[in-house]
Amino acid sequence: MAELKLSRARRLHRPRLVKRERINAAYAILQRIAAVALALLTGALFIRLIGFSPLQIYTGMLRGSFGSKVSLRETIKIATPLCICALGLAVAFRMRFWNIGGEGQMCVGAIAASWLALFHASIPRPLLLALMFVAALAAGALWGLIPAWFHAKYGTNETLFTLMLNYVAMYAIQALREGPWKNPRDMGYPKIAMFASNAQLPKVFGVHIGWIVALALVAAVAVYFRYTKQGYELTVVGENPNTARYAGMPVRRVVLRTAAISAAICALAGMLKATGADRTLTDGVAGGIGFTAITVAWLAGLQPIGILIVSFLFGALEKGAGFAQSTYKISTAAASVLQGIVLFFVLGCEFFVRYKVMFKE
Amino acid sequence: MLNTRAPALELRLLTKAFGSLVACDHINMTLHAGEILALLGENGSGKTTLMNMIAGLYRPDSGDIFVRGIKADIHSPSDARKHGIGMIHQHFKLVDVFTARQNIQLGAGRDMSDRALNEKVRALGERFGLTARLDQKVYDMSVGQKQTVEIIKALCRGADILILDEPTAVLTPQESDRLFDILRRMKADGAAIIIITHKLGEVMALSDRVAILRGGRNVGEALTSKTNAAELTEKMVGQKVDLSIARPAMKQTPLFSMRNVSVRSADGVLRLDRVSFDIAGGEILGVAGIAGSGQKQLCECIAGLEPICGGEILFKGKNIAGQSPRQIYDIGVRLGFIPEDRLGMGLVGAMDVTDNLLLREYRLQPGFFIKRGPVRERARDLIKRLSVAPPDPSRPVGQLSGGNLQKVLLGRELLSKPELLITSYVVRGLDVHSSYVIYDLLNDCKLMGVGALFVGEDLDVLLELCDRVLVLCGGQITGLVNAKTATREQIGLMMVGQSG
């Protein structure tokens, strides 16, 4: 009897998680605001601890990301490839095809575009840029078909497959850099030449036109998901492949097509990054964007508009942290920690949007 | 103090709510030793929730449970076990890769050595006719054997209050009869038993008393000997229901036939063995058989989802064997198919009614884009016509109850004006009311000249609804009988491979 009582007392205080029946939109927004506030508070503690003024660093970060035309442009420049890559991944994720290969697909797109930029720079600019655009899409689609084909044919695990292909693509750039594409003018230093101005993206409002492409893609992907037969098919295949078969959908073809589209969009992000921002091809062209894009896509609930907003905020955070780092001389690591703290709270709060903690049974 | 006159189990004002849904609403109920109580109720009436509270899986929000006159605090299945309560769940709680012995010993504590267990099981065999091979792995067992192990497990842990949740749903008539025999012997031995069921025939045959739940309330109790099926149904549904299933006569026209069709599974096992039969337009052909006798393969090979390794499938003389579902459609075969696992195949749970209706017709729309407008209208229409609840075309169908889900699926298939309708366990898990709606819909189809294949499990329904009944056993046809003249026993024998 005593034992029973004890166990009862314990149970009353053990918290448990309950899935919310429906998510209250206003409450969710409130929760996210609270998460940001908590993140800022914790970040302030951290800044204090390493001997800086939180207020100064925070205003610096804000100024660094939105404060001037120049900083706003830089923010957009960071957000653009992130947004496009996240859109690409969202296409695959919606079909439950776990494309972790955004990095590699960006590299491949950049390589294809660079080949034209380096060796066919004499083509008139509009045509050259259009060709580079198409080449990146095609290369990405083919690259994406590799894991998809094996997945559809032999049921291989696409997560590992796409992940490993990242390294293949990245080291391919290094191989090109050290060998056939090495710039002889760099006196033995392994580097690929800068693109001719013909092969650089034009600017609109001071930022390369990649941002316009990103906006157009947000709209296109949103329409693709909601209003096309293909978008419907990929959703059904993702939700329930058996029902897709039942309805007579060509499941294998849908998988191949969707993976190709996903990879092609990611490759486009790589092409825009190389020709718009870097103006050359380096092995850092993806630089982790393909992985960050996974977070962005999920944080946005795979919704194109959400991806646009989240990638912009990510860009701002990165730009702001970079600015704080160079202006106030806090270390790179400390800037990364600040970014990490914000992400931790914001991602963590998504959990509490979906679940609630109960202290009573 | 132990009160011998007190009921074995007494529930007082037991209440449990999930969010805004009150699953059990101040339920009172008593159960005496040496009694079998049948708990009747439609889907969602709160039967399983109520039993789960007794078994310690849920905690009541309010109300008390008394075991043998003493208030019991049941917080967990092990608390329930301490009070001598054992539950046999609809989906067995056995570890597949363990033997029966290991499953029984699992969590049973110290006093369950191999020898003690052998002795106990032998004694149970003598007393109740329960027999099990203790060293057989669970994955090698038939459904009936697994259930026996579950019962032995409960009894070995000292249960004398036994709850069985739809125990006969997966059994053959012979297995059900054996189970009833065991339960009667346990009752005579002083056990108190609650059995949850949908099947009125079983209630009448087995129970001493019936309690009926509707909408989470106990709406009535009766001695089984003083009531009848019609009265019970009326209480359960809340209105008068005609329990007879119509079998309208219909002129039959040649439509579909299978000739020597065989199907092999991926691992080489013969699932269908030279199956031949015809379905006429205006006929409902029933398929009886123990679960897993080839019903699934039969349905799916007609729908083009399962490759066959021999034979012909003829629709109005055209061979459709080896064609994909899309090709079959393009040939001009109008086929409706209700698979047995509605959310596993046939519907997309996360999509709403409109998008699920799109599944059949999106391809027929011209161009690259999809038009939802007209489909949404049809969705509203379907919801109204079949009174799907809740009537909301934009709610994910995964949130609908089994009966409403089935209405959406059947409604969609009928929208495509099928000439041949294949249904697999179409009323599984549906309550009485929904089941009769489905039977009526099938009869409507029949009257329009549709040929239907009706794979079922309740033999009474098969015999009442269908024109002919085909019996499958181990992938072979072991009988094809006229439903007007055949008997349950005859079909039961055919189901186990003995021609009647």
mmCIF file of all heavy atoms in Angstrom, chain B residues 354-377:
data_model
loop_
_atom_site.group_PDB
_atom_site.id
_atom_site.type_symbol
_atom_site.label_atom_id
_atom_site.label_comp_id
_atom_site.label_asym_id
_atom_site.label_seq_id
_atom_site.Cartn_x
_atom_site.Cartn_y
_atom_site.Cartn_z
ATOM 1 N N THR B 354 -11.144 16.018 -51.131
ATOM 2 C CA THR B 354 -11.006 16.473 -52.513
ATOM 3 C C THR B 354 -9.778 15.845 -53.173
ATOM 4 O O THR B 354 -9.857 15.280 -54.263
ATOM 5 C CB THR B 354 -10.850 18.007 -52.548
ATOM 6 O OG1 THR B 354 -11.905 18.578 -51.796
ATOM 7 C CG2 THR B 354 -10.881 18.512 -53.965
ATOM 8 N N ASP B 355 -8.641 15.939 -52.500
ATOM 9 C CA ASP B 355 -7.413 15.420 -53.094
ATOM 10 C C ASP B 355 -7.450 13.904 -53.225
ATOM 11 O O ASP B 355 -6.796 13.343 -54.102
ATOM 12 C CB ASP B 355 -6.195 15.869 -52.276
ATOM 13 C CG ASP B 355 -5.718 17.249 -52.681
ATOM 14 O OD1 ASP B 355 -6.505 17.951 -53.339
ATOM 15 O OD2 ASP B 355 -4.581 17.625 -52.362
ATOM 16 N N ASN B 356 -8.200 13.247 -52.355
ATOM 17 C CA ASN B 356 -8.330 11.804 -52.497
ATOM 18 C C ASN B 356 -9.242 11.431 -53.668
ATOM 19 O O ASN B 356 -9.043 10.404 -54.303
ATOM 20 C CB ASN B 356 -8.844 11.180 -51.197
ATOM 21 C CG ASN B 356 -7.700 10.814 -50.271
ATOM 22 O OD1 ASN B 356 -6.917 9.918 -50.570
ATOM 23 N ND2 ASN B 356 -7.583 11.521 -49.166
ATOM 24 N N LEU B 357 -10.217 12.274 -53.945
ATOM 25 C CA LEU B 357 -11.048 12.020 -55.122
ATOM 26 C C LEU B 357 -10.236 12.231 -56.394
ATOM 27 O O LEU B 357 -10.433 11.570 -57.406
ATOM 28 C CB LEU B 357 -12.261 12.955 -55.146
ATOM 29 C CG LEU B 357 -13.377 12.721 -54.139
ATOM 30 C CD1 LEU B 357 -14.634 13.464 -54.560
ATOM 31 C CD2 LEU B 357 -13.687 11.254 -53.987
ATOM 32 N N LEU B 358 -9.300 13.173 -56.332
ATOM 33 C CA LEU B 358 -8.458 13.478 -57.482
ATOM 34 C C LEU B 358 -7.664 12.267 -57.965
ATOM 35 O O LEU B 358 -7.302 12.168 -59.129
ATOM 36 C CB LEU B 358 -7.463 14.573 -57.099
ATOM 37 C CG LEU B 358 -7.803 16.006 -57.460
ATOM 38 C CD1 LEU B 358 -6.753 16.928 -56.890
ATOM 39 C CD2 LEU B 358 -7.874 16.177 -58.967
ATOM 40 N N LEU B 359 -7.397 11.371 -57.037
ATOM 41 C CA LEU B 359 -6.536 10.234 -57.322
ATOM 42 C C LEU B 359 -6.956 9.487 -58.582
ATOM 43 O O LEU B 359 -6.128 9.071 -59.376
ATOM 44 C CB LEU B 359 -6.590 9.284 -56.120
ATOM 45 C CG LEU B 359 -5.359 8.512 -55.730
ATOM 46 C CD1 LEU B 359 -4.142 9.387 -55.612
ATOM 47 C CD2 LEU B 359 -5.620 7.809 -54.408
ATOM 48 N N ARG B 360 -8.258 9.320 -58.761
ATOM 49 C CA ARG B 360 -8.736 8.564 -59.910
ATOM 50 C C ARG B 360 -8.831 9.426 -61.163
ATOM 51 O O ARG B 360 -8.742 8.933 -62.262
ATOM 52 C CB ARG B 360 -10.111 7.964 -59.611
ATOM 53 C CG ARG B 360 -10.066 6.690 -58.802
ATOM 54 C CD ARG B 360 -9.630 5.516 -59.634
ATOM 55 N NE ARG B 360 -9.719 4.278 -58.859
ATOM 56 C CZ ARG B 360 -8.868 3.252 -59.000
ATOM 57 N NH1 ARG B 360 -7.872 3.317 -59.848
ATOM 58 N NH2 ARG B 360 -9.015 2.173 -58.270
ATOM 59 N N GLU B 361 -9.063 10.718 -60.984
ATOM 60 C CA GLU B 361 -9.420 11.481 -62.180
ATOM 61 C C GLU B 361 -8.415 12.547 -62.581
ATOM 62 O O GLU B 361 -8.565 13.159 -63.628
ATOM 63 C CB GLU B 361 -10.801 12.112 -62.011
ATOM 64 C CG GLU B 361 -10.974 12.946 -60.765
ATOM 65 C CD GLU B 361 -12.386 13.525 -60.699
ATOM 66 O OE1 GLU B 361 -12.641 14.465 -61.451
ATOM 67 O OE2 GLU B 361 -13.205 13.029 -59.908
ATOM 68 N N TYR B 362 -7.380 12.776 -61.771
ATOM 69 C CA TYR B 362 -6.473 13.878 -62.108
ATOM 70 C C TYR B 362 -5.849 13.677 -63.482
ATOM 71 O O TYR B 362 -5.602 14.605 -64.224
ATOM 72 C CB TYR B 362 -5.384 14.038 -61.048
ATOM 73 C CG TYR B 362 -4.210 13.097 -61.193
ATOM 74 C CD1 TYR B 362 -3.039 13.505 -61.834
ATOM 75 C CD2 TYR B 362 -4.267 11.806 -60.703
ATOM 76 C CE1 TYR B 362 -1.974 12.633 -61.983
ATOM 77 C CE2 TYR B 362 -3.207 10.936 -60.838
ATOM 78 C CZ TYR B 362 -2.061 11.360 -61.488
ATOM 79 O OH TYR B 362 -1.009 10.498 -61.633
ATOM 80 N N ARG B 363 -5.646 12.412 -63.837
ATOM 81 C CA ARG B 363 -4.960 12.123 -65.088
ATOM 82 C C ARG B 363 -5.839 12.460 -66.299
ATOM 83 O O ARG B 363 -5.327 12.732 -67.385
ATOM 84 C CB ARG B 363 -4.594 10.647 -65.115
ATOM 85 C CG ARG B 363 -3.493 10.307 -66.087
ATOM 86 C CD ARG B 363 -3.030 8.901 -65.841
ATOM 87 N NE ARG B 363 -4.052 7.934 -66.196
ATOM 88 C CZ ARG B 363 -4.121 7.330 -67.376
ATOM 89 N NH1 ARG B 363 -3.224 7.598 -68.295
ATOM 90 N NH2 ARG B 363 -5.054 6.449 -67.627
ATOM 91 N N LEU B 364 -7.136 12.428 -66.078
ATOM 92 C CA LEU B 364 -8.033 12.665 -67.199
ATOM 93 C C LEU B 364 -8.147 14.144 -67.529
ATOM 94 O O LEU B 364 -8.646 14.522 -68.577
ATOM 95 C CB LEU B 364 -9.425 12.103 -66.878
ATOM 96 C CG LEU B 364 -9.411 10.621 -66.502
ATOM 97 C CD1 LEU B 364 -10.798 10.165 -66.107
ATOM 98 C CD2 LEU B 364 -8.871 9.778 -67.652
ATOM 99 N N GLN B 365 -7.694 14.995 -66.592
ATOM 100 C CA GLN B 365 -7.746 16.425 -66.866
ATOM 101 C C GLN B 365 -6.682 16.766 -67.909
ATOM 102 O O GLN B 365 -5.598 16.211 -67.893
ATOM 103 C CB GLN B 365 -7.486 17.217 -65.587
ATOM 104 C CG GLN B 365 -8.554 17.022 -64.534
ATOM 105 C CD GLN B 365 -8.355 17.924 -63.332
ATOM 106 O OE1 GLN B 365 -7.356 18.625 -63.234
ATOM 107 N NE2 GLN B 365 -9.304 17.896 -62.420
ATOM 108 N N PRO B 366 -7.027 17.686 -68.803
ATOM 109 C CA PRO B 366 -6.055 18.024 -69.842
ATOM 110 C C PRO B 366 -4.957 18.934 -69.301
ATOM 111 O O PRO B 366 -5.169 19.674 -68.338
ATOM 112 C CB PRO B 366 -6.911 18.758 -70.884
ATOM 113 C CG PRO B 366 -8.029 19.345 -70.090
ATOM 114 C CD PRO B 366 -8.290 18.411 -68.941
ATOM 115 N N GLY B 367 -3.768 18.845 -69.891
ATOM 116 C CA GLY B 367 -2.715 19.810 -69.615
ATOM 117 C C GLY B 367 -1.864 19.472 -68.408
ATOM 118 O O GLY B 367 -1.946 18.387 -67.831
ATOM 119 N N PHE B 368 -1.041 20.454 -68.043
ATOM 120 C CA PHE B 368 -0.010 20.291 -67.037
ATOM 121 C C PHE B 368 -0.578 20.590 -65.644
ATOM 122 O O PHE B 368 -0.125 20.055 -64.654
ATOM 123 C CB PHE B 368 1.118 21.269 -67.384
ATOM 124 C CG PHE B 368 2.303 21.224 -66.459
ATOM 125 C CD1 PHE B 368 3.202 20.160 -66.522
ATOM 126 C CD2 PHE B 368 2.535 22.242 -65.549
ATOM 127 C CE1 PHE B 368 4.301 20.115 -65.680
ATOM 128 C CE2 PHE B 368 3.637 22.205 -64.713
ATOM 129 C CZ PHE B 368 4.521 21.141 -64.782
ATOM 130 N N PHE B 369 -1.581 21.446 -65.618
ATOM 131 C CA PHE B 369 -2.111 21.890 -64.328
ATOM 132 C C PHE B 369 -3.313 21.055 -63.893
ATOM 133 O O PHE B 369 -3.922 20.358 -64.689
ATOM 134 C CB PHE B 369 -2.475 23.377 -64.386
ATOM 135 C CG PHE B 369 -1.271 24.256 -64.522
ATOM 136 C CD1 PHE B 369 -0.891 24.752 -65.772
ATOM 137 C CD2 PHE B 369 -0.483 24.551 -63.430
ATOM 138 C CE1 PHE B 369 0.242 25.538 -65.899
ATOM 139 C CE2 PHE B 369 0.642 25.342 -63.553
ATOM 140 C CZ PHE B 369 1.011 25.831 -64.796
ATOM 141 N N ILE B 370 -3.618 21.198 -62.610
ATOM 142 C CA ILE B 370 -4.682 20.418 -62.023
ATOM 143 C C ILE B 370 -5.831 21.360 -61.684
ATOM 144 O O ILE B 370 -5.587 22.495 -61.269
ATOM 145 C CB ILE B 370 -4.123 19.717 -60.766
ATOM 146 C CG1 ILE B 370 -4.596 18.285 -60.665
ATOM 147 C CG2 ILE B 370 -4.473 20.464 -59.511
ATOM 148 C CD1 ILE B 370 -3.760 17.480 -59.708
ATOM 149 N N LYS B 371 -7.058 20.910 -61.936
ATOM 150 C CA LYS B 371 -8.204 21.754 -61.578
ATOM 151 C C LYS B 371 -8.935 21.114 -60.408
ATOM 152 O O LYS B 371 -9.433 20.002 -60.524
ATOM 153 C CB LYS B 371 -9.146 21.895 -62.772
ATOM 154 C CG LYS B 371 -8.793 23.061 -63.665
ATOM 155 C CD LYS B 371 -9.954 23.455 -64.530
ATOM 156 C CE LYS B 371 -9.928 22.972 -65.959
ATOM 157 N NZ LYS B 371 -8.775 22.571 -66.649
ATOM 158 N N ARG B 372 -8.987 21.823 -59.281
ATOM 159 C CA ARG B 372 -9.629 21.232 -58.111
ATOM 160 C C ARG B 372 -11.091 21.628 -57.977
ATOM 161 O O ARG B 372 -11.859 20.946 -57.312
ATOM 162 C CB ARG B 372 -8.870 21.638 -56.844
ATOM 163 C CG ARG B 372 -7.608 20.837 -56.626
ATOM 164 C CD ARG B 372 -7.055 21.039 -55.226
ATOM 165 N NE ARG B 372 -5.932 20.146 -54.951
ATOM 166 C CZ ARG B 372 -4.722 20.288 -55.459
ATOM 167 N NH1 ARG B 372 -4.474 21.284 -56.282
ATOM 168 N NH2 ARG B 372 -3.752 19.438 -55.167
ATOM 169 N N GLY B 373 -11.455 22.708 -58.607
ATOM 170 C CA GLY B 373 -12.809 23.261 -58.446
ATOM 171 C C GLY B 373 -13.910 22.227 -58.616
ATOM 172 O O GLY B 373 -14.664 21.965 -57.672
ATOM 173 N N PRO B 374 -14.030 21.620 -59.798
ATOM 174 C CA PRO B 374 -15.120 20.653 -60.009
ATOM 175 C C PRO B 374 -15.009 19.448 -59.072
ATOM 176 O O PRO B 374 -16.026 18.900 -58.646
ATOM 177 C CB PRO B 374 -14.936 20.220 -61.471
ATOM 178 C CG PRO B 374 -13.596 20.695 -61.888
ATOM 179 C CD PRO B 374 -13.230 21.840 -61.001
ATOM 180 N N VAL B 375 -13.775 19.056 -58.742
ATOM 181 C CA VAL B 375 -13.602 17.904 -57.857
ATOM 182 C C VAL B 375 -14.081 18.245 -56.459
ATOM 183 O O VAL B 375 -14.673 17.414 -55.761
ATOM 184 C CB VAL B 375 -12.122 17.472 -57.825
ATOM 185 C CG1 VAL B 375 -11.967 16.193 -57.039
ATOM 186 C CG2 VAL B 375 -11.600 17.293 -59.234
ATOM 187 N N ARG B 376 -13.836 19.491 -56.047
ATOM 188 C CA ARG B 376 -14.283 19.906 -54.716
ATOM 189 C C ARG B 376 -15.806 19.831 -54.638
ATOM 190 O O ARG B 376 -16.366 19.420 -53.628
ATOM 191 C CB ARG B 376 -13.784 21.322 -54.426
ATOM 192 C CG ARG B 376 -13.828 21.682 -52.959
ATOM 193 C CD ARG B 376 -13.045 22.943 -52.646
ATOM 194 N NE ARG B 376 -11.615 22.765 -52.815
ATOM 195 C CZ ARG B 376 -10.822 23.563 -53.547
ATOM 196 N NH1 ARG B 376 -11.345 24.588 -54.180
ATOM 197 N NH2 ARG B 376 -9.543 23.331 -53.648
ATOM 198 N N GLU B 377 -16.461 20.206 -55.739
ATOM 199 C CA GLU B 377 -17.919 20.092 -55.792
ATOM 200 C C GLU B 377 -18.351 18.643 -55.609
ATOM 201 O O GLU B 377 -19.254 18.326 -54.846
ATOM 202 C CB GLU B 377 -18.450 20.615 -57.145
ATOM 203 C CG GLU B 377 -18.608 22.120 -57.183
ATOM 204 C CD GLU B 377 -19.276 22.641 -55.916
ATOM 205 O OE1 GLU B 377 -20.399 22.194 -55.617
ATOM 206 O OE2 GLU B 377 -18.654 23.481 -55.203
#
